[in-house]
Amino acid sequence: MTDSKYFTTTKKGEIFELKAELNSDKKEKKKEAVKKVIASMTVGKDVSALFPDVVNCMQTDNLELKKLVYLYLMNYAKSQPDMAIMAVNTFVKDCEDPNPLIRALAVRTMGCIRVDKITEYLCEPLRKCLKDEDPYVRKTAAVCVAKLHDINAQLVEDQGFLDTLKDLISDSNPMVVANAVAALSEIAESHPSSNLLDLNPQSINKLLTALNECTEWGQIFILDCLANYTPKDDREAQSICERVTPRLSHANSAVVLSAVKVLMKFMEMLSKDLDYYGTLLKKLAPPLVTLLSAEPELQYVALRNINLIVQKRPEVLKHEMKVFFVKYNDPIYVKLEKLDIMIRLASQANIAQVLAELKEYATEVDVDFVRKAVRAIGRCAIKVEQSAERCVSTLLDLIQTKVNYVVQEAIVVIKDIFRKYPNKYESVIATLCENLDSLDEPEARAAMIWIVGEYAERIDNADELLESFLEGFHDESTQVQLQLLTAIVKLFLKKPTETQELVQQVLSLATQDSDNPDLRDRGYIYWRLLSTDPVAAKEVVLAEKPLISEETDLIEPTLLDELICYIGTLASVYHKPPSAFVEGGRGVVHKSLPPRTASSESTESPETAPAGAPPGEQLDTVPTQGDLLGDLLNLDLGPPVSGPPLATSAVQMGAVDLLGGGLDSLIGAPSFVAPPAAAVPANLGAPMGSGLSDLFDLTSGVGTLSGSYVAPKAVWLPAMKAKGLEISGTFTRQAGSISMDLQLTNKALQVMTDFAIQFNRNSFGLAPAAPLQVHAPLSPTQTVEISLPLSTAGSVMKTEPLNSLQVAVKNNIDVFYFSTLYPLHILFVEDGKMDRQVFLATWKDIPNENEAQFQIRDCPLNAEAVSSRLQSSSIFTVARRNVEGQDMLYQSLKLTNGIWVLAELRIQPGNPSFTDLELSLKCRAPEVSQHVYQAYETILKN
């Protein structure tokens, strides 16, 4: 008979019977009784009264009985903590049992008993199990440390379990290594600041060795850990890729995706010229294609991940178009995802195939799918210029079917095709106008109205068509109302004599009879424009439209880079970073792809950190899309002005908003820069009324002539992310003035003009001290060098990391955002030398916990060379002495916001085998220390 019999009894007085059976001398009877207790517990009965009797059954050699008792114990220990202590002795005893299964069972149960009183008793048994001779016990104990850390983190750290866990990474057994990595990763996620997984080439080698031999879940833990490592150069990245590649042929799809994540991340560091790079691309395609033969749910997850991969590296799957063709029995969510990827992979080579498929899909029965297919045909036309004509004729064929939703979608996409290819396909307008009456969706109606307004001079009865929409003006959606208003104003400017009544009617409806603020504002602007300066109105309303870009739904590049680091997780399915859907701060760390190494080209690299910033710092510099837009869009951008740059004042840039559509551009008046509210000299601080600590006390010294170290220019904004505009730059400090030295290159096919720049609020109040002056239009392939003076009197907001800077650059094409790190030494002021007595008193006064220790490795300079090199970057030596053969330099520096940093630098002169310098920093704002250390390292090593 099966165990189901234990769930069928519902007798009264059962507890007393069970109590008697649990205390029976017969082993079989005991076991039966414990099974009954567990059955009752499972169905929700309270059997906590039997706690002491069940615990007594722990003293047994029978493994099955022991498992059952431990199961009971885990469930009731929390509600009976005092009773649970009775079981501690048995745990201790079981941890020394000759049978490794029992030792592992004891340590596993210990980890699951979440009772503070008991945890301290369990430290000793856990310590023994972590060093047990049997690997099964060690791997179980490794996971137990993570569970214990969740209950009492301080206890785990005090007992030194974390160090033992780190030692297990070097264990001879691969499963122990995998569990140690899993446990450390779990702990590191809940404590992002702790550097638990201190990965180096040696530990990476051990992980890669263990990778081949552990179970599939072990492999996933190790691969995820590898993905968090940043190789020191492209050679190491290639070596890791070679050893991870065999995982692509694993049967478990989670292992495959984890391997893909590692390879996608490290490919960023490989040069595209390498033969190995091409080989790796070829190896990535088959496993991804294989994932699509699984069941629909897995297919969907695979497709969402492939969507990200194709956006980052379309060349991976460019020859695999056919696998994304839709099957008749695919669920709708798989169909829509496949369709999206087909468009991303569409190219001149395969467009005929793709269009034939899409036309087929447009005759399906599923309405959502058909709509998406019609829209996809339009996206193909915009993406592959050679196919545009074929796409338009396909859309016209679909319009002839007279199926309502097909016609409406077709009109929406034809509007976009007109925008992309002006004066090419307007002959189809007559066909579109025939279907005017059947349009009932706002988007389709708005698209049709736009077409009529834009090409009014080619449509004889344009006024009648627009008037027919005007009859139910107040019943239309806002989108349609706005479009109708603009279209009628366009029509009036093209045919003023015939449409005066119509334009007055629509302006009256939009302003006097409407309570929608957007509609009213647009109405009043048009009204004022038309009544004061019709010529300006014509220039504004009938201005030449910029061509639309081919991919409007691509994920923003910095977000895409972050999502590539999360392949194989929920973030890659949602296409959102974890911070968008994980509650609380736990485990949410912004990740980014590693910067490209110097040997590889930077055409697709993410924003590179200035030279001297360690690669790890790059992880935090890229803000999420929401952060950037949220902060930058409520600031104003000034257009270029003529005249000398205002070096001493922080110019308040107003009048034109970031989106380039401010009031002045609408009115057609000449743009201007608002005068500053009060000319604030760069060396005066902002008032301290903001309530911020002295970290943001914005005062800076008046300096003497000096020139600090200048990092070589790095690409901050690649051309592919900014519609052809490439921005490289670096920061300099000369004679007490900070500059951002920019190099703008036009890699697009059109001229660029109207440049402006804006910084987001940042930790040290950096802001442009003058507008961005590009005196002549920037022609295609032309490069221009600009030095933008900066002040430190801008708005202050603490950023993470402290030296990150978010920048918006605007031109006639669009607004572009990027983020970079500035080296802190540009903020070291020239009057930063402290008097010796003051230095001594200040050093004693700053608490010892504010002292930070660092090592500057491989720096073979003597004390004189170090001192003079640092002094050129405004780090001043206050005193020097020799202690036991070591040179000690005592130094001070001052930041533009008034923060003093004191340093003690220890040098071993004349010892070629010991070239490391030891640096101690003391500061009242200890968060600055890490960045000052990086400045030291940058200056001394360059």
Side-chain angles (χ1 to χ4, degrees):
M1 192 175 171
T2 63
D3 285 347
S4 59
K5 62 182 178 184
Y6 299 109
F7 294 92
T8 53
T9 56
T10 50
K11 289 187 291 183
K12 286 188 177 175
E14 196 178 10
I15 298 282
F16 295 108
E17 284 180 29
L18 286 172
K19 203 178 185 76
E21 286 177 28
L22 287 169
N23 293 314
S24 164
D25 298 334
K26 293 178 183 169
K27 281 186 182 176
E28 277 307 309
K29 211 164 187 185
K30 250 184 192 176
K31 193 157 82 175
E32 290 292 304
V34 173
K35 282 188 176 179
K36 286 177 187 171
V37 171
I38 297 292
S40 301
M41 182 179 88
T42 308
V43 296
K45 283 188 193 170
D46 182 15
V47 282
S48 56
L50 298 169
F51 198 93
D53 306 287
V54 176
V55 171
N56 285 338
C57 297
M58 279 172 83
Q59 313 288 343
T60 175
D61 298 333
N62 185 312
L63 191 59
E64 188 184 2
L65 180 55
K66 206 175 261 296
K67 278 184 179 175
L68 291 166
V69 174
Y70 278 174
L71 196 63
Y72 176 87
L73 208 62
M74 281 189 257
N75 202 39
Y76 282 115
K78 206 159 192 180
S79 58
Q80 308 259 352
D82 299 329
M83 288 286 209
I85 291 179
M86 291 163 48
V88 168
N89 286 337
T90 315
F91 281 131
V92 176
K93 199 170 148 203
D94 280 356
C95 282
E96 292 173 3
D97 194 278
N99 183 345
L101 289 175
I102 288 182
R103 296 203 297 276
L105 182 63
V107 80
R108 180 184 289 124
T109 311
M110 277 158 44
C112 296
I113 294 178
R114 303 178 64 82
V115 176
D116 281 336
K117 280 185 182 177
I118 296 183
T119 43
E120 54 206 62
Y121 293 109
L122 304 180
C123 291
E124 217 38 59
L126 180 57
R127 186 175 283 107
K128 284 180 186 166
C129 289
L130 281 167
K131 294 184 176 163
D132 197 281
E133 61 194 26
D134 191 284
Y136 181 71
V137 181
R138 292 201 300 278
K139 87 177 183 74
T140 311
V143 177
C144 186
V145 173
K147 290 178 178 173
L148 197 59
H149 189 274
D150 198 37
I151 302 164
N152 189 339
Q154 197 55 48
L155 180 73
V156 170
E157 285 162 32
D158 296 345
Q159 293 284 341
F161 286 147
L162 294 181
D163 296 325
T164 317
L165 211 49
K166 286 180 190 173
D167 295 341
L168 286 182
I169 288 184
S170 310
D171 198 277
S172 57
N173 184 287
M175 270 319 297
V176 178
V177 176
N179 277 20
V181 167
L184 283 169
S185 303
E186 178 80 17
I187 295 168
E189 272 192 4
S190 55
H191 293 70
S193 53
S194 65
N195 192 16
L196 284 178
L197 276 165
D198 185 16
L199 299 172
N200 53 45
Q202 290 74 32
S203 55
I204 288 292
N205 194 30
K206 286 167 188 163
L207 294 183
L208 288 164
T209 309
L211 185 63
N212 299 324
E213 298 171 43
C214 49
T215 65
E216 48 198 21
W217 297 112
Q219 290 182 27
I220 292 165
F221 290 134
I222 291 176
L223 287 166
D224 285 351
C225 179
L226 286 173
N228 292 329
Y229 174 63
T230 305
K232 61 178 187 296
D233 55 25
D234 52 353
R235 193 174 291 118
E236 190 188 358
Q238 182 175 337
S239 159
I240 294 172
C241 288
E242 282 168 355
R243 295 177 69 179
V244 167
T245 308
R247 300 299 107 215
L248 292 173
S249 53
H250 201 284
N252 185 319
S253 48
V255 176
V256 173
L257 281 177
S258 293
V260 168
K261 168 168 63 184
V262 174
L263 296 173
M264 284 292 291
K265 196 168 178 186
F266 290 175
M267 277 170 85
E268 197 67 21
M269 297 185 71
L270 302 179
S271 164
K272 288 190 173 180
D273 306 334
L274 281 176
D275 292 342
Y276 180 70
Y277 182 87
T279 314
L280 199 51
L281 283 179
K282 284 179 192 152
K283 284 184 179 171
L284 273 173
L288 292 172
V289 169
T290 308
L291 291 176
L292 298 181
S293 54
E295 50 268 35
E297 293 79 9
L298 280 180
Q299 270 190 58
Y300 179 71
V301 172
L303 286 164
R304 292 293 281 174
N305 280 279
I306 287 169
N307 201 328
L308 293 176
I309 293 165
V310 163
Q311 285 186 56
K312 185 70 188 166
R313 299 199 184 283
E315 62 270 30
V316 172
L317 288 159
K318 65 179 177 188
H319 300 305
E320 303 292 344
M321 176 63 88
K322 280 194 171 172
V323 297
F324 299 107
F325 286 174
V326 172
K327 298 191 181 110
Y328 75 95
N329 57 349
D330 280 340
I332 182 68
Y333 53 89
V334 171
K335 284 180 174 177
L336 295 178
E337 206 56 41
K338 279 185 174 178
L339 206 53
D340 208 30
I341 295 169
M342 278 169 66
I343 307 305
R344 298 204 193 289
L345 290 176
S347 66
Q348 204 177 332
N350 57 26
I351 193 72
Q353 243 182 338
V354 174
L355 277 179
E357 277 290 308
L358 292 176
K359 193 170 182 184
E360 199 67 34
Y361 301 160
T363 57
E364 291 263 348
V365 288
D366 191 314
V367 176
D368 282 342
F369 182 51
V370 172
R371 283 175 182 277
K372 190 105 184 217
V374 174
R375 204 158 278 216
I377 294 171
R379 278 173 62 190
C380 280
I382 290 165
K383 187 173 181 189
V384 186
E385 188 168 347
Q386 294 77 359
S387 73
E389 201 157 327
R390 191 183 291 171
C391 291
V392 171
S393 65
T394 306
L395 289 168
L396 288 176
D397 291 347
L398 292 171
I399 287 175
Q400 299 308 335
T401 62
K402 301 289 183 193
V403 177
N404 190 311
Y405 53 87
V406 175
V407 172
Q408 305 207 60
E409 285 296 333
I411 286 174
V412 171
V413 296
I414 285 174
K415 177 203 75 173
D416 290 340
I417 293 172
F418 286 168
R419 285 284 307 274
K420 177 75 175 174
Y421 309 111
N423 305 320
K424 220 169 176 188
Y425 301 110
E426 281 76 7
S427 54
V428 306
I429 292 175
T431 315
L432 303 183
C433 292
E434 290 167 16
N435 294 282
L436 208 69
D437 300 337
S438 64
L439 307 180
D440 51 18
E441 288 169 17
E443 200 179 358
R445 288 172 78 82
M448 193 64 224
I449 291 167
W450 182 88
I451 291 169
V452 173
E454 189 67 17
Y455 301 104
E457 68 280 10
R458 303 180 189 209
I459 304 170
D460 298 336
N461 60 341
D463 50 343
E464 289 170 25
L465 296 176
L466 291 175
E467 199 168 359
S468 66
F469 283 105
L470 209 55
E471 287 160 11
F473 186 79
H474 289 302
D475 302 328
E476 300 284 7
S477 71
T478 308
Q479 184 184 7
V480 178
Q481 289 177 334
L482 287 167
Q483 201 57 265
L484 193 53
L485 171 61
T486 305
I488 290 176
V489 170
K490 282 181 188 173
L491 178 66
F492 172 70
L493 290 169
K494 289 174 183 180
K495 303 179 179 179
T497 49
E498 305 154 38
T499 53
Q500 201 159 351
E501 235 174 82
L502 191 61
V503 80
Q504 281 176 338
Q505 192 184 346
V506 77
L507 287 172
S508 162
L509 285 169
T511 53
Q512 292 162 10
D513 304 347
S514 170
D515 53 7
N516 181 319
D518 290 341
L519 188 63
R520 268 211 317 267
D521 286 354
R522 192 181 289 192
Y524 280 127
I525 284 175
Y526 283 156
W527 202 318
R528 201 162 298 166
L529 266 175
L530 294 169
S531 57
T532 56
D533 190 348
V535 179
K538 208 162 194 168
E539 281 176 17
V540 172
V541 181
L542 302 181
E544 198 174 318
K545 316 247 172 336
L547 300 183
I548 60 173
S549 66
E550 55 183 56
E551 291 286 11
T552 48
D553 61 340
L554 286 175
I555 293 173
E556 191 262 336
T558 48
L559 174 60
L560 179 62
D561 285 354
E562 186 177 354
L563 292 177
I564 291 289
C565 301
Y566 286 111
I567 283 175
T569 67
L570 263 182
S572 68
V573 179
Y574 288 152
H575 288 188
K576 290 179 183 175
S579 52
F581 58 87
V582 176
E583 285 189 5
R586 183 189 157 107
V588 176
V589 182
H590 287 302
K591 298 184 182 181
S592 180
L593 296 179
R596 284 191 175 279
T597 51
S599 63
S600 60
E601 72 296 344
S602 57
T603 49
E604 285 184 16
S605 68
E607 290 73 43
T608 352
E617 282 301 297
Q618 189 63 17
L619 296 181
D620 296 325
T621 71
V622 180
T624 61
Q625 190 180 14
D627 294 346
L628 255 181
L629 298 179
D631 284 330
L632 284 173
L633 286 180
N634 36 21
L635 301 175
D636 287 340
L637 259 190
V641 300
S642 52
L646 305 164
T648 54
S649 68
V651 180
Q652 198 177 338
M653 301 196 176
V656 176
D657 68 22
L658 259 179
L659 293 176
L663 206 63
D664 296 319
S665 61
L666 263 175
I667 297 171
S671 300
F672 65 93
V673 174
V680 185
N683 60 347
L684 286 184
M688 276 301 287
S690 59
L692 290 169
S693 69
D694 65 348
L695 180 61
F696 303 119
D697 176 10
L698 295 167
T699 56
S700 78
V702 183
T704 56
L705 211 70
S706 84
S708 61
Y709 163 72
V710 179
K713 285 194 176 79
V715 176
W716 287 341
L717 184 66
M720 65 165 291
K721 296 184 180 178
K723 299 182 182 172
L725 174 65
E726 181 175 283
I727 300 179
S728 305
T730 186
F731 294 91
T732 61
R733 184 181 183 95
Q734 298 288 337
S737 300
I738 306 170
S739 301
M740 181 193 249
D741 290 351
L742 295 168
Q743 180 178 302
L744 309 182
T745 305
N746 182 356
K747 295 189 176 180
L749 298 174
Q750 56 186 326
V751 174
M752 294 182 180
T753 56
D754 304 336
F755 284 90
I757 194 165
Q758 180 76 30
F759 293 178
N760 202 353
R761 292 181 294 166
N762 54 79
S763 304
F764 293 93
L766 279 179
L772 181 61
Q773 303 243 3
V774 182
H775 293 295
L778 194 59
S779 307
T781 72
Q782 191 185 348
T783 296
V784 64
E785 305 260 350
I786 299 158
S787 185
L788 179 72
L790 305 183
S791 82
T792 51
S795 299
V796 172
M797 178 184 75
K798 191 172 176 183
T799 57
E800 187 57 47
L802 275 181
N803 61 334
S804 73
L805 181 66
Q806 296 166 3
V807 182
V809 172
K810 168 183 170 284
N811 62 14
N812 58 324
I813 296 172
D814 206 345
V815 182
F816 309 107
Y817 304 96
F818 65 88
S819 165
T820 185
L821 294 171
Y822 49 88
L824 210 66
H825 64 258
I826 64 165
L827 304 172
F828 298 172
V829 298
E830 287 71 15
D831 65 343
K833 187 164 184 176
M834 199 178 255
D835 178 76
R836 285 188 183 200
Q837 298 304 317
V838 176
F839 182 96
L840 200 61
T842 310
W843 186 277
K844 287 178 181 171
D845 193 39
I846 295 174
N848 285 338
E849 56 264 29
N850 281 24
E851 185 170 353
Q853 309 277 351
F854 302 98
Q855 265 198 332
I856 301 171
R857 297 192 180 280
D858 305 325
C859 184
L861 301 174
N862 61 22
E864 285 78 16
V866 167
S867 187
S868 80
R869 194 174 282 195
L870 291 172
Q871 182 147 346
S872 70
S873 291
S874 300
I875 300 174
F876 300 97
T877 302
V878 176
R880 175 183 167 184
R881 63 195 179 110
N882 191 288
V883 182
E884 297 171 1
Q886 293 185 333
D887 283 333
M888 310 281 280
L889 297 181
Y890 297 94
Q891 298 176 314
S892 69
L893 63 97
K894 182 177 163 192
L895 295 169
T896 50
N897 59 2
I899 292 177
W900 284 91
V901 181
L902 311 188
E904 176 189 85
L905 192 60
R906 191 183 299 243
I907 305 165
Q908 291 210 0
N911 183 349
S913 63
F914 195 85
T915 56
D916 293 356
L917 311 186
E918 289 178 22
L919 177 67
S920 297
L921 295 173
K922 262 193 166 186
C923 177
R924 295 194 192 279
E927 53 266 70
V928 171
S929 298
Q930 174 70 30
H931 302 285
V932 172
Y933 152 65
Q934 282 163 19
Y936 262 84
E937 195 169 46
T938 304
I939 296 162
L940 292 175
K941 287 191 174 182
N942 291 286

